[in-house]
Amino acid sequence: MGSMKLKRAVGALATAVLGGWLSVASAVGDMPGGPKFNGLNLQDPATQIAADQHWIHWFLIWICAAIFIAVFGVMFYSIWRHRKSKGHQSASFHESTAVEIAWTIVPFIIVVAMAIPATRMVVEQKDTSNADLTIKATGYQWKWGYDYLKGPGEGISFLSTLSTPREQIEGRAEKSVTYLMEVDNPVVVPVNQKVRVVLTANDVIHSWMVPAFGVKQDAIPGFVRDTWFRAEKIGVFRGQCAELCGKDHAFMPIVVDVRSQEDYAKWVDEQKKAMLAKLDDPNKVWEQAELQARGEKVYQANCVACHQANGKGVPPAFPALDGSKMVLGPQDAQIALVLDGKQGTAMASYKQLSDVELAAVLTYTRTAWGNKADDGLVQPAEVKAARK
Amino acid sequence: MSAVLDQHGGHHGDHAHDHAHDHPTGWRRWLFATNHKDIGTLYLWFSFAMFFVGGINALLLRTELFQPGLQVMQPEFFNQLTTMHGLIMVFGAIMPAFVGFANWQIPMMIGAGDMAFARMNNLSFWLLPPAALLLVVSYFVPGGATAAGWTLYAPLSIQMGPGMDLAIFAVHILGASSIMGSINIITTILNMRAPGMSLMKMPMFAWTWLITAYLLIAVMPVLAGAITMLLTDRHFGTAFFNAAAGGDPVMYQHIFWFFGHPEVYIMILPAFGIVSEIIPAFARKRLFGYSSMVYATASIAILSFIVWAHHMFTTGMPVTGQLFFMYATMLIAVPTGVKIFNWVATMWRGSMTFETPMLFAIGFIFVFTMGGFTGVILAVAPLDIQLHDTYYVVAHFHYVLVAGSLFALFAGAYFWLPKWTGHMYDEKLGKWHFWASLITFNITFFPMHFLGLAGMPRRYADYPMQFADFNAFITIGAFGFGLSQLIFVWAVVKCIKGGEKAADKPWEGAEGLEWTLPSPVPWHTFETPPVVK
């Protein structure tokens, strides 16, 4: 009876300690195109390169396991047999040139055996020539920007931001199966086509990683690097930023949507039409309320991570906009700041936003919170003029 | 103390009393310390304190990672914790701990009276507390401590607040201290060996430290250069790492890792030395392959200078660069393998007993080797593309730094505590400490391999749900590992306060000059140099 009581007590304790996370974690399963639930190995490959990585990983694991068994077999046998407590007398040998040469040469041969398939793989991974589609990925604190440079879809350009709601991160809502690995605008690519990704960054170093493709490449500000993949499966594949890039490093995922050739062509058409439709007439004179409403949306998408929803920022790295001299000062200076960014700080150039978007967000910052600039209204035409 | 007086009495008769006035007492004894043993003690207590500070950082960040979502802190603070955990453990705990061992042991093991430069020795220690203070204070300046990772990569480190400048100054001071310590160790070893002790008769611990000291002198100035460039980029308008003005952020990584990879061996070579002293002592059999041990150590040191860019495979190197650094890195497995085979061969057909130092030494070989395997796997560049900057790397370097360096430090501490304090430590506490550490260590760090393979990036304050179970498990293990270290505190304090009187040579199979000295060691280590035949 005593043991039953003990078992029950231990069970209750375990539930109390582990219950909190078991209940949330086991409710979700594998993430489609992302990590498996409690996964033990590399993610399922969707490219030849990732499949090769699986192969070489197993190849290395087996070699290591064989060495492990050989070396520790000997060691634990010795620990078991050659004990003083069993009356074992110590031998007196302490060197053997032949043995020592042998166990220098054998590991060397093993290392060479490992290097041969690895060499072939390095050459393949680095071969970015003859791509069907070239996409530029730009790392920002903390989102990715994509520009379709060459191939079908040329000219398409968008930003890709984490779409997991704040409530889930802060524990006020149930976390979804794609928690932290979902974005508003995924990169769309055609299946079985060689996609070259050209990478750079705007502020600090980021790293573009998609485990299912076997791809990870740093995005370095001021420099261009490239990598490639040829997805062999249709579906959505997910990755995250892999180089520490500041506070929201964990919150700038990468989502690649691989579609059939026809679906990809359809997507390109839709994007082109949407881009035309989205073009606002920059010469239209806007009402203040209209711009403010639009500006708040632009602010939420682009500015809020640093300057915060209440405009107070996170000084000293991310200054407050509420009460800021720059925001309440002359319009020209503020327009120039958002167009050019500020060297040496996290303030990036936002010239990729449209004139209307920029005018809207400027109007918003000049009139939101406690700010009441005398010339609060910034017209898109003024931004357009300043671009020259 | 009685041992001290006895010895002095024997040699000097009535002068024993006068002699006691020669060295200061109370706080002056420590502030003005010039005796290698006092300075060694200071180093060891300092590193021990920093080990707990760094450990608290680790437990705080593990608390945040217990569950997905942000519960107890914001990512800004999380990043400060990961950064400071690394800086404090590397520069505040592991490195000074080995210098403490060098101070205590090298003069005793080579038959010298003291370290060569006693006053510089004092300075090199007393530089450490101000540096530690700068690091800890940096949490309280505007913007908090630096959050750029212990590698302080530009341009992220350029964005940081004043906490970054404090870290730069702290690392400068720590580097200066290391260089002074190294000069002292090299001079002592090369000039003050007992008559008859040729280089190839030196204890392995002295050999590994000699090589380590050269590594330190070679690379600490490189680190100083890198962080000075950061400092001038931050404040004086230079643009070493700013592409917009002709600089290159990746150049920082090259310079940093030219320091950083030898640094890895700086933290492990003395550990090899300690283990090479302990295994023969408890196997009651001479170290197998002494000269190949020396050559292997030297080859590892030389190779360590030509492998740095394996930390940078994902920066986008040309094919030839990747291949060169992959081959060079894989080659390191050869001399490292030789060392492991030599230790196993030393144990083979010995007459082994398993006191705590031996347990930690065997634990070291077992767990360090697993870190070696993952090291070879990471060296394979095409696979490293998957594993770089994931938890796999975190698992790898904790297997070599915690189960490697730290376990060797524990082994050495239990091995030499009887010599230092004159008392035997409590064997039962030692064994508890070993088994608790070994088990909780593996609970903490083994699942990180799985997380890394599955793609969880490191330095993440929050993670997808699929990683939740392993992370909860790891956090529980981490707290277990942290608590296990309290057993060590208990064992050390108990040993200092009293315990069974230690014989001059408490270990049956131990060899070396330190065991010819009384326990505890008298104030002057060797009044007349011993002769080695």
Side-chain angles (χ1 to χ4, degrees):
Chain A
M1 291 310 275
S3 74
M4 278 295 288
K5 234 183 198 171
L6 187 71
K7 257 186 203 162
R8 220 177 293 159
V10 170
L13 191 70
T15 318
V17 174
L18 308 179
W21 53 269
L22 265 186
S23 59
V24 280
S26 56
V28 301
D30 300 347
M31 186 188 298
K36 287 209 175 81
F37 178 65
N38 287 349
L40 300 177
N41 198 358
L42 298 167
Q43 292 178 21
D44 291 339
T47 63
Q48 186 55 44
I49 280 182
D52 288 349
Q53 287 167 338
H54 266 258
W55 177 85
I56 201 163
H57 182 237
W58 278 117
F59 175 67
L60 296 170
I61 288 277
W62 284 119
I63 292 178
C64 289
I67 299 172
F68 183 94
I69 290 167
V71 172
F72 291 116
V74 172
M75 189 176 94
F76 284 109
Y77 176 82
S78 178
I79 288 174
W80 183 245
R81 290 296 303 274
H82 306 148
R83 295 170 170 254
K84 196 186 177 198
S85 59
K86 293 197 171 176
H88 194 272
Q89 297 289 314
S90 60
S92 63
F93 67 90
H94 59 84
E95 57 191 356
S96 158
T97 313
V99 170
E100 286 169 58
I101 289 176
W103 70 35
T104 308
I105 291 177
V106 171
F108 182 76
I109 293 170
I110 295 176
V111 163
V112 172
M114 289 173 168
I116 291 168
T119 302
R120 185 183 50 80
M121 286 176 63
V122 167
V123 174
E124 261 169 39
Q125 288 185 1
K126 298 298 287 185
D127 177 17
T128 53
S129 59
N130 299 320
D132 301 306
L133 172 64
T134 302
I135 300 174
K136 181 175 107 181
T138 309
Y140 297 90
Q141 283 174 317
W142 292 274
K143 55 181 156 289
W144 290 95
Y146 297 101
D147 298 275
Y148 287 59
L149 295 185
K150 212 169 148 219
E154 194 173 319
I156 295 174
S157 168
F158 53 86
L159 288 172
S160 177
T161 315
L162 177 74
S163 63
T164 301
R166 202 66 209 166
E167 293 78 53
Q168 287 190 18
I169 296 170
E170 285 163 2
R172 286 179 279 117
E174 190 94 331
K175 293 176 177 55
S176 70
V177 67
T178 51
Y179 176 67
L180 296 187
M181 295 186 80
E182 49 201 359
V183 296
D184 51 1
N185 302 309
V187 194
V188 179
V189 297
V191 72
N192 287 327
Q193 297 281 294
K194 184 167 185 174
V195 180
R196 172 171 176 245
V197 186
V198 179
L199 293 110
T200 187
N202 187 64
D203 30 49
V204 299
I205 302 174
H206 302 268
S207 191
W208 198 83
M209 158 173 92
V210 180
F213 296 167
V215 162
K216 183 182 289 142
Q217 173 59 53
D218 292 358
I220 298 158
F223 289 85
V224 169
R225 296 287 152 87
D226 64 355
T227 185
W228 71 277
F229 63 87
R230 187 197 300 273
E232 291 167 359
K233 290 178 188 163
I234 292 174
V236 177
F237 298 94
R238 296 162 203 276
Q240 290 171 298
C241 176
E243 181 64 62
L244 179 62
C245 58
K247 77 180 179 75
D248 284 352
H249 172 44
F251 304 98
M252 49 180 293
I254 293 132
V255 179
V256 182
D257 185 351
V258 181
R259 299 191 184 178
S260 68
Q261 306 267 14
E262 307 82 65
D263 287 350
Y264 177 74
K266 235 184 270 169
W267 176 81
V268 169
D269 267 3
E270 283 165 20
Q271 291 301 305
K272 294 248 154 113
K273 273 183 205 137
M275 280 161 71
L276 284 175
K278 247 207 257 171
L279 280 182
D280 294 300
D281 175 8
N283 298 317
K284 172 183 165 191
V285 177
W286 290 61
E287 295 293 328
Q288 175 144 344
E290 241 179 323
L291 275 178
Q292 268 171 332
R294 178 80 179 267
E296 188 170 1
K297 278 185 202 142
V298 178
Y299 186 84
Q300 294 297 345
N302 295 283
C303 319
V304 76
C306 297
H307 296 296
Q308 306 295 315
N310 60 9
K312 300 281 186 210
V314 190
F318 311 117
L321 299 186
D322 189 11
S324 150
K325 276 192 197 130
M326 164 58 82
V327 176
L328 297 173
Q331 291 188 353
D332 299 353
Q334 203 193 357
I335 294 172
L337 179 67
V338 295
L339 281 176
D340 302 334
K342 190 172 175 190
Q343 200 53 249
T345 70
M347 181 64 196
S349 156
Y350 282 87
K351 61 176 185 283
Q352 74 277 16
L353 298 182
S354 74
D355 296 339
V356 174
E357 285 171 319
L358 283 176
V361 78
L362 291 173
T363 304
Y364 175 71
T365 58
R366 297 172 78 84
T367 52
W369 316 298
N371 285 352
K372 284 179 185 60
D374 301 330
D375 44 356
L377 180 63
V378 180
Q379 287 294 348
E382 292 170 66
V383 178
K384 193 184 177 198
R387 276 196 200 263
K388 303 288 152 63
Chain B
M1 259 333 260
S2 66
V4 176
L5 290 179
D6 283 347
Q7 214 223 7
H8 283 259
H11 289 296
H12 303 286
D14 293 338
H15 294 292
H17 180 71
D18 299 340
H19 207 77
H21 291 283
D22 280 349
H23 49 85
T25 53
W27 61 270
R28 284 191 179 81
R29 171 180 172 189
W30 303 108
L31 188 62
F32 303 135
T34 49
N35 187 295
H36 73 99
K37 294 181 283 291
D38 279 356
I39 295 174
T41 305
L42 286 169
Y43 264 108
L44 290 174
W45 278 116
F46 172 81
S47 58
F48 204 19
M50 294 309 279
F51 172 57
F52 279 95
V53 175
I56 289 167
N57 279 283
L59 292 184
L60 283 173
L61 66 91
R62 278 317 318 175
T63 306
E64 174 54 52
L65 291 173
F66 183 56
Q67 287 191 347
L70 297 175
Q71 289 90 21
V72 289
M73 63 186 70
Q74 290 303 308
E76 298 91 299
F77 184 61
F78 180 91
N79 290 347
Q80 295 175 29
L81 288 175
T82 54
T83 305
M84 297 305 273
H85 168 70
L87 285 174
I88 287 174
M89 286 302 198
V90 168
F91 293 105
I94 300 285
M95 290 172 69
F98 281 124
V99 183
F101 271 80
N103 259 294
W104 257 104
Q105 287 308 124
I106 286 178
M108 296 203 292
M109 294 171 96
I110 64 169
D114 203 308
M115 296 294 280
F117 305 113
R119 285 180 180 77
M120 187 166 81
N121 206 6
N122 173 294
L123 178 61
S124 65
F125 171 75
W126 282 107
L127 284 175
L128 299 181
L133 203 66
L134 283 178
L135 282 179
V136 174
V137 162
S138 72
Y139 271 116
F140 304 101
V141 301
T146 170
W150 85 280
T151 50
L152 308 176
Y153 275 10
L156 185 60
S157 49
I158 311 275
Q159 280 186 356
M160 295 287 142
M164 182 70 212
D165 300 314
L166 295 184
I168 289 176
F169 293 139
V171 174
H172 268 137
I173 296 172
L174 292 164
S177 159
S178 287
I179 290 172
M180 280 187 257
S182 304
I183 291 172
N184 219 338
I185 288 166
I186 292 175
T187 315
T188 308
I189 293 179
L190 291 186
N191 293 302
M192 295 169 69
R193 294 191 311 280
M197 181 178 277
S198 63
L199 280 176
M200 289 310 275
K201 280 187 185 164
M202 276 201 311
M204 271 311 292
F205 182 67
W207 254 119
T208 53
W209 241 118
L210 179 66
I211 292 168
T212 303
Y214 274 108
L215 284 181
L216 273 168
I217 288 184
V219 299
M220 289 313 286
V222 178
L223 173 67
I227 58 178
T228 305
M229 286 190 260
L230 277 186
L231 192 73
T232 61
D233 266 17
R234 285 167 56 78
H235 298 294
F236 305 113
T238 58
F240 293 109
F241 309 126
N242 179 0
D248 182 352
V250 179
M251 183 173 73
Y252 175 83
Q253 298 182 21
H254 281 293
I255 303 173
F256 179 86
W257 287 114
F258 188 81
F259 147 80
H261 202 81
E263 168 70 14
V264 171
Y265 294 101
I266 286 165
M267 292 191 282
I268 199 68
L269 292 183
F272 290 165
I274 291 174
V275 170
S276 300
E277 300 297 332
I278 292 173
I279 299 277
F282 293 91
R284 290 166 183 76
K285 189 161 154 278
R286 263 176 76 181
L287 181 68
F288 185 89
Y290 173 91
S291 37
S292 67
M293 268 322 203
V294 173
Y295 301 140
T297 311
S299 342
I300 293 174
I302 292 164
L303 283 174
S304 77
F305 284 103
I306 54 163
V307 297
W308 77 90
H310 67 219
H311 297 268
M312 302 164 53
F313 283 143
T314 63
T315 55
M317 267 183 283
V319 175
T320 45
Q322 282 207 355
L323 290 179
F324 172 78
F325 286 107
M326 175 173 80
Y327 298 151
T329 306
M330 292 171 83
L331 269 186
I332 290 191
V334 176
T336 314
V338 166
K339 285 186 153 292
I340 294 185
F341 301 145
N342 280 346
W343 288 323
V344 173
T346 306
M347 292 161 74
W348 184 253
R349 290 178 57 205
S351 174
M352 278 187 276
T353 51
F354 301 93
E355 289 88 344
T356 309
M358 184 63 161
L359 288 179
F360 269 109
I362 295 174
F364 165 94
I365 297 177
F366 186 64
V367 197
F368 172 81
T369 303
M370 296 212 247
F373 286 138
T374 53
V376 174
I377 290 173
L378 285 168
V380 174
L383 185 56
D384 181 69
I385 298 297
Q386 276 281 9
L387 302 173
H388 178 76
D389 262 329
T390 69
Y391 263 76
Y392 197 88
V393 176
V394 180
H396 161 72
F397 67 70
H398 283 93
Y399 265 81
V400 289
L401 275 180
V402 179
S405 307
L406 187 64
F407 276 20
L409 285 165
F410 288 147
Y414 285 109
F415 188 53
W416 284 306
L417 264 175
K419 182 57 58 188
W420 299 342
T421 64
H423 304 127
M424 295 307 286
Y425 62 88
D426 185 332
E427 192 62 54
K428 198 180 254 174
L429 282 181
K431 290 203 161 111
W432 269 101
H433 178 220
F434 170 71
W435 288 108
S437 296
L438 185 74
I439 292 166
T440 52
F441 168 80
N442 281 294
I443 291 177
T444 310
F445 294 104
F446 201 74
M448 288 186 186
H449 295 112
F450 301 136
L451 286 178
L453 285 168
M456 177 167 164
R458 63 194 280 218
R459 295 164 167 169
Y460 262 31
D462 195 5
Y463 49 82
M465 300 295 283
Q466 287 73 11
F467 302 134
D469 283 5
F470 281 135
N471 271 292
F473 193 69
I474 288 168
T475 298
I476 293 169
F479 274 88
F481 187 77
L483 291 175
S484 305
Q485 304 321 311
L486 298 178
I487 308 175
F488 183 58
V489 182
W490 186 10
V492 170
V493 170
K494 199 173 164 190
C495 180
I496 292 170
K497 284 194 159 171
E500 187 196 329
K501 171 98 187 63
D504 291 355
K505 195 177 110 170
W507 312 117
E508 190 189 7
E511 286 189 29
L513 292 175
E514 76 264 41
W515 308 110
T516 65
L517 291 163
S519 299
V521 193
W523 180 255
H524 289 293
T525 303
F526 285 102
E527 301 257 319
T528 48
V531 176
V532 180
K533 46 183 177 24

